[in-house]
Amino acid sequence: MRVPAPRDLPALPYAHRLEPFTGDLEREEVYEWLHIDDRAFDDVDGGMTRFSESALSSVTFTGGRFRRARFDTVWMHNIRTVGSDLAESTWLDTECLSSLLAGTQLHGTQMRRAVFHHCKFDSVNLRAAQLANVTFVDCLLRDVDFAGATLTGVSFPGTTLDGVDLTKATLSRVDLSESTALGITSGVAALKGATISTPQLLDLAPALAQHIGLTVKDA
């Protein structure tokens, strides 16, 4: 499969329009053609804000509420969200590089044409999220909850899945064959609609046998 290459800030088609942002983030505001760089935001209420053709680099969000925020054509590099609430947010044509999402609420989120490079998702809640044409490249997904989520055209090249929950998730054209580890703790039945490799099938055999009630007994 063709993996999209990460871009540097100057390579963005709207880079020449970006202006430095030094203010405070506020609820229901529209932020367009802005570059937020080397900032830390603690417990900010940014619900229903909209970021469009903007860039965020070396930005930390600790806590904070960004429910129903919208990220439309946004480039992110070295972002940290710790215990932040981004539930029901929308991510469209967004690129995220070398970032950490820890204890982050993303349930009910919609992601379309988004790509994550070298990112770490740790204890992230993506329950009932809708992901379409999303790529996780060389990422780590640890204790990520996809229960009830819908994944369409999602791929994981070079990505490690560790303790992922797929309970009642719906998968269509999901490519897991190039992931480096396939640690699924719950919801192996949801793998219908996914592509895996032969070695991955062998690794999943015990969980699949348990799911269908198959007893394996060696002489």
Side-chain angles (χ1 to χ4, degrees), residues 98-126:
S98 304
S99 296
L100 167 68
L101 289 79
T104 301
Q105 296 295 325
L106 285 169
H107 56 84
T109 288
Q110 297 186 41
M111 294 185 180
R112 294 182 58 196
R113 299 188 301 273
V115 59
F116 297 88
H117 291 272
H118 301 283
C119 293
K120 180 178 179 181
F121 290 67
D122 195 342
S123 300
V124 172
N125 180 359
L126 276 158

Side-chain angles (χ1 to χ4, degrees), residues 41-60:
F41 298 97
D42 296 336
D43 201 29
V44 170
D45 185 359
M48 300 181 70
T49 55
R50 176 169 178 169
F51 297 87
S52 178
E53 293 194 335
S54 295
L56 287 73
S57 55
S58 300
V59 179
T60 298

